[in-house]
Amino acid sequence: MALSRFDRRYLLMGAAGLFVLLVVVYPLWQVFYRSFLDAGVFSLKSYRKVFSHPSYYRALFNSVWVSCATSLLCMLLGTLLAFLVVRTDVPFKRSLRSLLVLPYALPSFFAAISWIQLLGPQGYLARFFLHLSGWEAAPWNIYSAGGIVFVLTVHYFILVFITVAGALERMDASLEEAARASGAGTYRIMKEITLPLVLPAILAGGLLAFIGALANFGIPALLGMRARFFVLTTSIYYALAIPDFGLATALSGMLVAVALVSTALQFGLQKGEGRYTVISGKSVHPSELRLRSMRYPLFVCVALFVLLISILPIVSMVLTALLQYWGAPLRASSFTLHNFAYVAQFETARRAIANSFFLAAGAATASMFVGVTISYLHVKAKLPGSRALDFLATLPYAVPHTVIAIAMILAWSRPPASLYGTLWIILVAYLAVYLPFAVRTTHSTLQQVHNSLEEAARVSGARLFARMRDVIVPLARPGMIAGWVLVFLPALRELTVSILLYTHETETIGVVVYNLQDAGYREIAAALASIVMALLIFGSVAIRRLTGGVAGI
């Protein structure tokens, strides 16, 4: 009788809690705890080392100023483009919007490789410029701090664009109309009404770009390490290569501290959005600004920008993959499919593709399963403690991937549960990285399922697992499929975690492309990257169809 009254949902909660404890809480605690140890005793030696050696606190300074510069440029660029695409009558807005999102659908280190191919010493655009100008050297250097800021901006401005475009679309236009009726000009309306109303969205998008730039590894690794310009993520990579785990954990602590402050600011901004009550979810149709004679000139400017940031990098990657060797003259005799054939026969590449598909599919499936469970306990069951479980499962969202990789090494590299050197440690790291995506995706999906449906099944005598199988999962299936793809695609191209955890025979696609590029085999790297890009673009289009245009390109 006692067993029949026992709420079996607590069993689900216990299993989900154990999963979060092993995958998230224990590894992250190891990073924090070990950063204060030296030879097993409490010590601040690692932190003293960080602040006594100029190269390490310079890396902190570089991370902060590069991220701030990227964030400011992203806010400027994203806001201008969002206003043009949403609030003006510029032609072909839907096509421009889809193409503007394209760079973010591709891995950031692919972007770095593409821009090296375009603006590097032997880059296509660099050679074209030298041919036209007659100069001996290009006036820019992609292997520099400026090059890093440029590529980070091109990759992350879309975060501001999407955030501001959403705010502009929801804005109640009554204030603007009232100002216009009172005789105010367009510039004054934008300055005194439109801009202040979307300012929280601009700042929120800017903070997202800041966090993304701060945690990025691929771009500063490919563009900065050659110029001896280090940020925190690349310094952690070097500390592990020495190896010096104490130093790596201390640097990780600094990276997490900056990321947490940024995330707290973001939450603060979102909490304060209630003050701006003129931006609401009600159906409004802000009027479009008539560009008149500037309509087509501005369209040409935006189209050229789209061509530069979205189309040329992809063309550059495919072009390099089709060349016999990097720097070959662009004529018919230089093109070949040999690089693609080489990738097909390259054992390491084939193994990396198989590993990446296994890891991406495993991470997507397991994280969605756990994500559904945690969201169900929080949204539907509302059991005591489910909110805390939801928070802990979402915690890795604020933690840079470099730190998560170190956490896995510290937590799962010692007996009796030594996973280092196997694919399983990368899988556990992927689960920690992508669990927040799964939780948030299924959270919103389950909120759309009315409680009365499950209640009707319960009154009819259906037990917990029958209700989950016959009611909850079928109704939430479209959102779960979209969430699965949203985890699968970034996991397929992942680099930051993989480059720190891989060993022989556990390479992933990202690791092989990075190593080939770093070793100078640029055509082979481009061939493998081109194949992955095709898969990612196809997958993003599939996401868009599955989500009804909410996500994907």
Side-chain angles (χ1 to χ4, degrees), residues 50-368:
V50 168
F51 288 103
S52 62
H53 202 294
S55 63
Y56 296 126
Y57 60 76
R58 194 180 300 130
L60 170 64
F61 174 72
N62 289 341
S63 284
V64 173
W65 86 255
V66 163
S67 302
C68 285
T70 301
S71 178
L72 288 174
L73 291 173
C74 286
M75 286 193 281
L76 178 65
L77 193 58
T79 303
L80 283 174
L81 288 168
F83 188 83
L84 271 175
V85 171
V86 175
R87 296 302 300 276
T88 70
D89 61 346
V90 69
F92 306 109
K93 290 196 287 188
R94 290 190 62 180
S95 300
L96 289 175
R97 193 167 184 161
S98 297
L99 289 171
L100 282 170
V101 179
L102 186 58
Y104 194 67
L106 303 177
S108 61
F109 71 103
F110 279 19
I113 293 172
S114 296
W115 285 107
I116 290 171
Q117 293 168 356
L118 287 168
L119 298 178
Q122 292 297 320
Y124 302 115
L125 291 181
R127 281 189 282 172
F128 183 67
F129 174 82
L130 295 179
H131 176 73
L132 286 182
S133 65
W135 293 10
E136 293 185 355
W140 62 76
N141 180 11
I142 194 68
Y143 297 106
S144 64
I148 294 172
V149 171
F150 169 73
V151 180
L152 285 171
T153 301
V154 169
H155 188 70
Y156 287 114
F157 85 90
I158 195 62
L159 297 174
V160 181
F161 174 84
I162 291 174
T163 311
V164 177
L168 287 171
E169 286 171 336
R170 296 192 306 273
M171 179 185 292
D172 188 342
S174 59
L175 286 178
E176 289 182 335
E177 296 298 334
R180 191 169 287 110
S182 302
T186 302
Y187 174 75
R188 188 177 177 189
I189 292 173
M190 287 177 58
K191 179 184 175 185
E192 298 184 4
I193 297 178
T194 309
L195 189 59
L197 289 179
V198 297
L199 189 58
I202 296 172
L203 294 175
L207 277 171
L208 285 174
F210 178 88
I211 295 169
L214 182 76
N216 192 283
F217 169 78
I219 293 174
L222 286 167
L223 301 182
M225 292 206 295
R226 179 169 169 172
R228 307 298 296 171
F229 181 85
F230 290 93
V231 294
L232 279 176
T233 51
T234 50
S235 296
I236 292 171
Y237 178 73
Y238 260 90
L240 286 177
I242 294 173
D244 188 338
F245 279 97
L247 178 60
T249 54
L251 290 169
S252 299
M254 294 164 59
L255 189 57
V256 170
V258 179
L260 287 178
V261 169
S262 308
T263 306
L265 287 174
Q266 185 191 5
F267 282 130
L269 278 175
Q270 290 173 344
K271 191 176 180 181
E273 283 181 352
R275 292 175 296 157
Y276 302 85
T277 52
V278 292
I279 299 178
S280 63
K282 62 185 179 182
S283 177
V284 292
H285 300 284
S287 59
E288 287 187 341
L289 176 66
R290 303 292 178 187
L291 295 173
R292 305 182 193 281
S293 61
M294 292 300 293
R295 188 170 182 236
Y296 283 98
L298 281 175
F299 166 72
V300 171
C301 290
V302 178
L304 287 175
F305 179 76
V306 167
L307 176 70
L308 178 67
I309 66 154
S310 300
I311 307 300
L312 278 184
I314 294 175
V315 172
S316 168
M317 189 72 83
V318 176
L319 191 62
T320 304
L322 291 171
L323 286 175
Q324 290 182 354
Y325 59 91
W326 170 243
L330 298 180
R331 56 187 180 216
S333 59
S334 299
F335 292 104
T336 177
L337 293 176
H338 172 76
N339 297 321
F340 289 97
Y342 184 86
V343 168
Q345 298 174 354
F346 186 29
E347 184 182 348
T348 304
R350 287 189 299 177
R351 186 168 61 231
I353 292 172
N355 288 342
S356 288
F357 270 92
F358 167 76
L359 291 168
T365 305
S367 61
M368 284 309 299

Side-chain angles (χ1 to χ4, degrees), residues 364-434:
T365 305
S367 61
M368 284 309 299
F369 181 77
V370 179
V372 167
T373 304
I374 292 173
S375 295
Y376 171 79
L377 294 168
H378 184 210
V379 177
K380 295 298 175 189
K382 300 184 187 304
L383 296 182
S386 60
R387 181 182 292 274
L389 185 61
D390 183 88
F391 168 77
L392 290 174
T394 314
L395 185 61
Y397 177 76
V399 181
H401 295 182
T402 311
V403 179
I404 290 179
I406 292 175
M408 296 303 156
I409 294 173
L410 295 174
W412 302 115
S413 295
R414 293 177 301 172
S418 178
L419 301 179
Y420 191 73
T422 70
L423 276 177
W424 301 110
I425 194 169
I426 303 178
L427 179 62
V428 176
Y430 280 14
L431 289 174
V433 167
Y434 297 111

Side-chain angles (χ1 to χ4, degrees), residues 451-469:
N451 293 336
S452 61
L453 297 174
E454 188 193 4
E455 185 63 20
R458 191 186 66 80
V459 171
S460 301
R463 293 180 179 273
L464 173 62
F465 292 104
R467 299 200 301 271
M468 293 285 286
R469 183 192 62 206

Side-chain angles (χ1 to χ4, degrees), residues 536-546 551-553:
L536 294 174
I537 293 173
F538 176 78
S540 294
V541 173
I543 289 176
R544 188 172 182 81
R545 289 182 178 275
L546 286 169
I553 59 174

